[in-house]
Amino acid sequence: MDFWAEQAQRLHWDVRWSEVLDWSGAPYAKWFTGGRLNVARNCVDRHVEAGFGDQVAIHWVGEPGDSRDITYAQLRDEVCRAANALVSLGVRAGDRVAIQLPMIPEAIVAMLACARLGAPHSVVFGGFSPSALRSRVDDAEAKVVITADGQYRRGKAVPVKAGVDEALAGSAVEKVVVVRRTGTPVSMGERDVWWHELVDPQPTEHTAEAFDSEHPLFILYTSGTTGKPKGILHTSGGYLTQVAYTHAAVFDHRPGEDVYWCTADIGWITGHSYIVYGPLANRATQVVYEGTPNTPHEGRHWEIIQRYGVSIYYTAPTLIRTFMKWGEDIPARYDLSSLRVLGSVGEPINPEAWRWYREHIGAGKAPIVDTWWQTETGAIMIAPSPGSAEFKPGSAQTPVPGISAVVVDDAGKEVAPGESGYLVLDQPWPSMLRGVWGDDARFRETYWSRFAGAYFAGDGARYDADGDIWLLGRVDDVMNVSGHRISTAEVESALVSHPAVAEAAVVGAADPTTGQGIVAFVIPRGVAEVSVQELREHVAREIGPIAKPRQIMVVPELPKTRSGKIMRRLLRDVAENREIGDVTTLADSSVMAHLKAGVSSQR
Ligand code: PRX
């Protein structure tokens, strides 16, 4: 515990904690009990007070080529204005605020303004559909929604507010604040207010209240094994301690020297922990980029690295594989010599991508920290140290100091080197989730019922002969597509909500670029013609474009066990074009023959 008490010193506490960890209410942990702090003050004001007001916090780069440098002093002013603005709308500590914004400075300002007021934010990824936004807004009972008129996507302005209007029709949301980003025409209703009209005139003075260490900081929805996303709850003191500690230790971040860039979107946990809270708590100077990596050309990231002298670059394997496809001659045209640490997150990084990253981006020498963690863990849990003697392409290697992780078999017994099992976290950690919003039973059932007293991560893993950990992917019905978690059940329920579909089964099939691709098998309803293209669009409308199946196959039947459970393992064999595995538990073993015959006619 001394270890975490020491890490907590990275923060400014208005009132020091009395106890580092109270685990008496397990699986609900309390960290730094009795301590009080303000998260936004820790991320912004205290750096200004310490004399770093003129240091750039954010080098923001817009997709169309506009840019803004925001210093810590300017960021403080903006956050205070936005906090005052939210107060004027009636937002109080404990109220929930939903945010659906592109990667613009206002997104970070809005999150910090909520944190400053103790109003938990729920950021919803910009690519989610209106109905996905609505279900999240309703589940968290958000009082205010912050969004934009539109966003730039691959060189085009696309509407955002129109989708939010559709999402919120008839909802209990009181106010919608709209940032003007693209100039896309929008209709402003009675509860709508422009960000610039509301925020700009506000005073830059705002006294930050110190909240309890366990005060809720945010809710972030993630896919589970059922159709309904889970609202993962994170709190203040422990979360900020671990994101600050890991951002400093895993990336060897040096404030005032490094230029850091994490390419995630704030709609995901990586954006929360390693764009907003960790780096800002550590007084980082960071790049925030609004757009896609190939707009207007495929060298955009390398051009940005060269322009700002980025020294730490944190991205996802799916993007590295995309860069590989575009060709190594593209990064070769830029000066990337400022890079000294590279990071990877989201899925196991395949050794080929690891080597390419090291060779063509890291000049053959930059350490690559492969970081394993989850929305639920809040912060990095397993990663090699950047000063490690030996990197192993494809292995996240060891739990970071302070963290304990073990690989166990079905019975909960630690496995021997070389054998695979389940990854569990057998000790509480400061940034651990504090439950599933409004669903205690689901929290206990999903994470704490499988192995007594330990957190079940849902990932397979094994040790090698040196005791290093290799992650093997999900062991549940959660797919990992381009580093995004999508549940098979969610896509299935979107498919069966279409009138032409009687039944659907979805599997994640290996994909050379995205890690996994979504493959759906659907049984049509009646004799109606089913348009596969229409179904793909339907899923995009229901969930968002990220959930669009790569392939949909129309089949007469699905393989089921005698108890009616769909055998996804067999469907995966079909989707990956493999020999079909053991079919003895099928209720009707002829199903696979029919299915294969039908599928091969569609290939
Ligand atoms: O399966 C693991 C995979 O991503 C899951 C967590 O997804 P999410 O909550 O969306 O958070 C992603 C960003 C932290 C994990 O259960 N995963 C993430 N990072 C790695 C990984 N698998 C292997 N190696 C990684 N470095």
Side-chain angles (χ1 to χ4, degrees):
M1 287 307 120
D2 287 354
F3 177 83
W4 288 114
E6 202 177 301
Q7 300 312 323
Q9 317 272 7
R10 295 173 181 274
L11 309 181
H12 170 83
W13 296 82
D14 294 79
V15 179
R16 199 188 149 88
W17 59 90
S18 48
E19 196 183 359
V20 173
L21 169 66
D22 174 1
W23 191 227
S24 61
Y28 290 95
K30 287 189 180 149
W31 281 88
F32 307 111
T33 55
R36 296 184 79 82
L37 79 171
N38 185 286
V39 169
R41 228 190 118 188
N42 268 283
C43 292
V44 187
D45 307 42
R46 71 174 167 135
H47 306 316
V48 181
E49 286 154 19
F52 298 103
D54 291 337
Q55 182 186 321
V56 171
I58 299 168
H59 290 296
W60 178 76
V61 184
E63 196 188 77
D66 48 341
S67 63
R68 261 175 82 186
D69 283 349
I70 303 167
T71 64
Y72 273 97
Q74 290 166 334
L75 186 61
R76 182 198 55 187
D77 288 355
E78 280 299 299
V79 172
C80 288
R81 279 199 191 99
N84 285 321
L86 290 175
V87 169
S88 79
L89 298 183
V91 174
R92 299 290 176 264
D95 289 341
R96 272 83 60 204
V97 175
I99 299 174
Q100 189 172 43
L101 281 171
M103 289 293 288
I104 54 179
E106 288 83 354
I108 296 171
V109 169
M111 289 167 75
L112 291 168
C114 290
R116 194 173 186 97
L117 299 176
H121 53 70
S122 161
V123 180
V124 180
F125 176 59
F128 276 127
S129 68
S131 69
L133 171 65
R134 176 61 179 267
S135 64
R136 286 160 175 77
V137 164
D138 285 352
D139 187 73
E141 298 176 284
K143 191 167 177 175
V144 169
V145 175
I146 306 177
T147 188
D149 55 352
Q151 65 178 335
Y152 290 105
R153 219 61 208 148
R154 298 181 205 288
K156 274 202 330 245
V158 296
V160 173
K161 170 70 163 53
V164 173
D165 289 342
E166 183 189 331
L168 300 184
S171 89
V173 165
E174 290 172 19
K175 288 283 175 194
V176 178
V177 184
V178 187
V179 179
R180 186 180 277 153
R181 170 60 186 135
T182 53
T184 305
V186 297
S187 71
M188 294 293 279
E190 231 169 68
R191 65 180 168 194
D192 301 341
V193 32
W194 284 107
W195 171 282
H196 57 272
E197 288 178 7
L198 175 74
V199 175
D200 292 359
Q202 298 288 336
T204 56
E205 298 305 314
H206 178 270
T207 308
E209 189 184 329
F211 293 102
D212 189 273
S213 177
E214 283 300 331
H215 189 82
L217 179 62
F218 64 84
I219 304 165
L220 185 60
Y221 287 83
T222 187
S223 293
T225 49
T226 70
K228 189 174 177 286
K230 300 179 286 229
I232 302 301
L233 177 66
H234 283 287
T235 60
S236 304
Y239 172 80
L240 198 61
T241 296
Q242 194 175 332
V243 294
Y245 153 64
T246 49
H247 174 258
V250 174
F251 300 106
D252 182 31
H253 174 261
R254 301 167 196 166
E257 292 172 36
D258 277 309
V259 178
Y260 166 86
W261 183 13
C262 166
T263 68
D265 189 284
I266 50 137
W268 310 110
I269 191 67
T270 309
H272 283 59
S273 301
Y274 297 104
I275 294 177
V276 182
Y277 294 111
L280 295 177
N282 288 339
R283 188 169 49 85
T285 292
Q286 67 176 319
V287 167
V288 173
Y289 172 54
E290 179 184 35
T292 42
N294 53 349
T295 310
H297 58 79
E298 291 168 349
R300 191 73 196 264
H301 277 210
W302 322 125
E303 181 182 77
I304 292 172
I305 289 171
Q306 174 178 295
R307 173 167 160 200
Y308 293 104
V310 171
S311 53
I312 305 172
Y313 178 74
Y314 188 28
T315 194
T318 184
L319 195 56
I320 298 166
R321 290 191 295 265
T322 304
F323 292 142
M324 286 170 75
K325 251 191 339 209
W326 292 344
E328 63 218 37
D329 53 312
I330 295 175
R333 288 181 211 139
Y334 299 87
D335 176 7
L336 305 179
S337 59
S338 55
L339 288 171
R340 65 176 191 89
V341 178
L342 302 175
S344 171
V345 61
E347 60 176 300
I349 178 167
N350 49 310
E352 204 191 344
W354 194 100
R355 288 194 197 95
W356 189 93
Y357 196 24
R358 169 97 153 186
E359 189 59 33
H360 298 288
I361 309 304
K365 56 176 196 270
I368 298 177
V369 286
D370 176 0
T371 62
W372 179 90
W373 58 295
Q374 308 177 300
T375 306
E376 293 87 341
T377 70
I380 294 170
M381 302 294 281
I382 306 177
S385 141
S388 162
E390 192 202 354
F391 287 96
K392 294 180 180 173
S395 168
Q397 299 189 247
T398 46
V400 298
I403 296 299
S404 177
V406 280
V407 183
V408 300
D409 63 15
D410 267 319
K413 200 170 132 290
E414 190 162 10
V415 299
E419 281 171 26
S420 42
Y422 306 101
L423 183 74
V424 303
L425 305 168
D426 59 345
Q427 298 291 330
W429 63 100
S431 63
M432 68 196 296
L433 73 166
R434 305 297 200 271
V436 172
W437 185 258
D439 202 341
D440 171 61
R442 197 169 176 198
F443 173 57
R444 292 175 188 273
E445 164 64 29
T446 310
Y447 305 106
W448 302 98
S449 64
R450 181 84 182 251
F451 300 105
Y455 169 91
F456 172 56
D459 277 40
R462 66 175 177 84
Y463 297 116
D464 64 16
D466 305 325
D468 280 327
I469 297 175
W470 294 69
L471 276 307
L472 304 172
R474 303 286 308 186
V475 294
D476 52 14
D477 293 327
V478 173
M479 298 173 286
N480 187 331
V481 181
S482 299
H484 302 318
R485 259 161 82 169
I486 301 169
S487 86
T488 53
E490 228 174 325
V491 181
E492 285 164 4
S493 76
L495 283 166
V496 296
S497 74
H498 190 281
V501 176
E503 211 180 333
V506 166
V507 296
D511 186 286
T513 307
T514 59
Q516 284 189 314
I518 303 175
V519 178
F521 296 82
V522 301
I523 303 179
R525 187 180 290 278
V527 288
E529 267 294 299
V530 191
S531 154
V532 163
Q533 193 46 33
E534 157 66 21
L535 290 182
R536 294 181 71 234
E537 292 305 326
H538 177 73
V539 174
R541 268 196 309 276
E542 286 294 307
I543 306 173
I546 53 166
K548 223 185 223 187
R550 180 184 79 184
Q551 196 180 9
I552 296 183
M553 310 205 222
V554 181
V555 295
E557 289 166 274
L558 290 170
K560 288 184 185 162
T561 60
R562 279 166 210 105
S563 61
K565 196 169 160 3
I566 293 171
M567 293 192 69
R568 287 207 178 71
R569 171 172 63 77
L570 299 179
L571 292 176
R572 245 186 322 265
D573 289 343
V574 175
E576 293 175 347
N577 223 348
R578 252 197 317 266
E579 266 312 290
I580 304 290
D582 182 9
V583 294
T584 49
T585 50
L586 277 182
D588 171 3
S589 57
S590 69
V591 168
M592 287 316 290
H594 293 154
L595 195 113
K596 274 208 91 172
V599 163
S600 56
S601 69
Q602 291 168 52
R603 273 221 168 89

